[in-house]
């Protein structure tokens, strides 16, 4: 039992040590200028950090705060505040300054004010480390280091990215125009296209870091335009299928209600095709609801094809039973009536002439 208690005490002490190590410092504020966006080579950068920490004097440990930066020509200013009053200031240069316990260890509440100035290297791998802070004790890192980085973009990178996005914009415009020609409502996608086009125009004349922001804005708008265009296209296809089914239902109703042909094999065939079209139409609407626009278009196309087959059959049947809109089988009737009318007129004329002759004779 005592052995178990001893183990628990050791574990608790170890946990306390871990918590103390992890909380040896706390970065209360971190300010970088420029405040946002990508950096660019040779750009000037300033950074300001306020760090609360706990480092007691008189300790035999070799304890320090080690800083580092990827900025070129870095200049550092360190100020120790005790109860809000500056009590120690030092300035350093170089990429790896260090502050030891003799500079930092105090019993009272203390904070370390860090000011850094430097420039972004001319050659960068896409990211630069603004600052890194490690708490070392007996040459071992305690807790988690603090690290701040920023992306770096060059004029060459911006130029390449701009070219790619300009081509993507052209492709998007072609897709929008193609859908508009098909009668699709492209207004939502067009608005996103206009915003992207404006951003890329601004990027073409901006500095690299600002141009990168414009390109990101344009890319976002183009990415949003694509599903909007797909949605509108799918809605149009589904709507066309629904309209075809409404027309088909009207024609089927004529055969069933007006002509009592519900049992006719040709009407049954038309109804069967109609049911198949309805199934595709239902699947298309489900795809639309699930935002699976490609599936919605595919099923709507299948439904429309099947509905059009049934419509063609219905038109053919209506002509067959003498209810079509063309002259068709009624042509002879119309010709016969015309002949009778002409003969009647000719007969009337002859009769009038004969009567006139009889009167004169």
């Amino acid at each position: 039992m005592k052995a178990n208690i001893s183990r628990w005490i050791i574990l608790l002490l170890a946990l306390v040590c871990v918590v103390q190590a992890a909380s040896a410092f706390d970065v209360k504020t971190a300010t970088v200028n420029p405040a946002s966006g990508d950096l660019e080579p040779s750009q000037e950068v300033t950074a300001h950090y306020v760090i609360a920490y706990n480092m007691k004097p008189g300790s035999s440990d070799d304890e320090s705060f080690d800083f580092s930066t990827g900025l070129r020509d870095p200049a550092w200013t360190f100020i120790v505040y005790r109860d809000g009053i500056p009590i120690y200031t030092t300035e350093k240069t170089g990429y790896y300054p260090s502050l030891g316990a003799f500079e930092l260890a105090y019993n009272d509440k203390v904070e370390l004010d860090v000011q850094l100035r430097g420039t972004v290297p001319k050659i960068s791998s896409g990211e630069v480390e603004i600052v890194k802070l490690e708490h070392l004790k007996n040459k071992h890192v305690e807790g988690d280091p603090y690290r701040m980085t920023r992306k770096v973009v060059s004029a060459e990178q911006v130029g390449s990215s701009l070219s790619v996005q300009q081509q993507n914009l052209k492709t998007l415009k072609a897709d929008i125009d193609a859908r508009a020609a098909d009668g699709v409502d492209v207004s939502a996608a067009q608005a996103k296209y206009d915003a992207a086009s404006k951003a890329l125009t601004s990027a073409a004349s901006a500095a690299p870091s600002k141009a990168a922001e414009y390109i990101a804005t344009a890319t976002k708008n183009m990415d949003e335009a694509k599903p909007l265009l797909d949605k509108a296209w799918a809605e149009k296809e589904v709507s066309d299928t629904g309209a075809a089914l409404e027309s088909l239902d009207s024609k089927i109703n004529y055969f069933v209600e007006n002509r009592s042909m519900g049992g006719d094999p040709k009407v049954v065939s038309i109804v069967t095709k109609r049911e198949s079209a309805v199934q595709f139409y239902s699947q298309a609407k489900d795809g639309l609801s699930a935002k699976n626009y490609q599936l919605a278009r595919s099923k709507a196309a299948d439904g429309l094809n099947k509905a059009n087959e049934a419509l063609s059959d219905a038109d053919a049947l209506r002509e067959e039973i003498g209810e079509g809109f063309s002259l068709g089988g009624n042509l002879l009737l119309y010709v016969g009536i015309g002949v009778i009318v002409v003969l009647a007129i000719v007969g009337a004329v002859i009769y009038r002439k004969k009567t006139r002759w009889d009167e004169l004779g």
Side-chain angles (χ1 to χ4, degrees), residues 55-242:
M55 192 179 294
K56 299 296 183 182
S59 172
S60 59
D61 295 331
D62 181 10
E63 197 168 7
S64 65
F65 282 168
D66 285 15
F67 293 84
S68 63
T69 184
L71 296 176
R72 191 180 61 190
D73 301 326
W76 308 77
T77 299
F78 299 99
I79 306 172
V80 177
Y81 285 84
R82 182 169 61 186
D83 295 327
I85 300 174
I87 59 172
Y88 176 76
T89 300
T90 182
E91 294 186 354
K92 297 178 181 288
T93 57
Y95 296 99
Y96 305 100
S98 179
L99 298 178
F102 68 97
E103 297 170 295
L104 299 173
Y106 295 93
N107 284 320
D108 300 320
K109 179 181 178 181
V110 290
E111 291 180 344
L112 176 63
D113 185 284
V114 182
Q115 299 172 36
L116 169 64
R117 300 166 302 281
T119 59
V120 179
K122 291 183 178 180
I123 300 177
S124 179
S125 60
E127 186 177 82
V128 64
E129 185 173 74
I130 303 298
V131 72
K132 182 179 179 181
L133 167 57
E134 295 179 307
H135 176 212
L136 269 65
K137 185 179 290 188
N138 295 325
K139 298 182 180 180
H140 293 286
V141 177
E142 298 289 315
D144 295 327
Y146 172 81
R147 189 167 182 257
M148 176 182 282
T149 62
R150 288 278 288 276
K151 290 184 178 180
V152 179
V153 60
S154 66
E156 291 76 11
Q157 291 172 319
V158 167
S160 176
S161 179
L162 179 60
S163 177
V164 169
Q165 297 309 324
Q166 286 172 334
Q167 183 58 49
N168 289 341
L169 189 69
K170 291 180 180 179
T171 301
L172 175 61
K173 180 60 175 173
D175 290 342
I176 290 174
D177 290 346
R179 299 288 75 79
D182 293 334
V184 176
D185 179 6
V186 299
S187 56
Q190 183 67 46
K192 293 294 183 180
Y193 168 87
D194 292 341
S197 178
K198 181 179 179 181
L200 290 183
T201 300
S202 298
S205 59
S209 58
K210 192 63 178 178
E213 293 182 21
Y214 286 129
I215 292 172
T217 298
T219 302
K220 178 176 180 293
N221 278 284
M222 285 188 282
D223 288 343
E224 292 173 350
K226 294 172 184 176
L228 288 173
L229 186 60
D230 283 346
K231 179 175 182 288
W233 186 11
E235 288 174 341
K236 172 66 164 52
E237 296 291 301
V238 173
S239 177
D240 287 349
T241 303

Side-chain angles (χ1 to χ4, degrees), residues 285-297:
K285 291 195 295 183
D286 289 343
L288 196 60
S289 298
K291 298 182 179 180
N292 189 340
Y293 303 128
Q294 183 175 359
L295 175 64
R297 290 197 304 270

Side-chain angles (χ1 to χ4, degrees), residues 245 248-249 252 269-279 310:
L245 283 171
L248 179 59
D249 286 344
I252 291 174
S269 175
I270 293 170
V271 171
T272 300
K273 290 181 179 180
R274 183 259 182 200
E275 293 304 317
S276 177
V278 168
Q279 290 182 0

Side-chain angles (χ1 to χ4, degrees), residues 247-257 267 270-271 274:
S247 177
L248 179 59
D249 286 344
S250 176
K251 295 188 177 185
I252 291 174
N253 184 68
Y254 167 78
F255 292 124
V256 174
E257 300 295 334
V267 174
I270 293 170
V271 171
R274 183 259 182 200

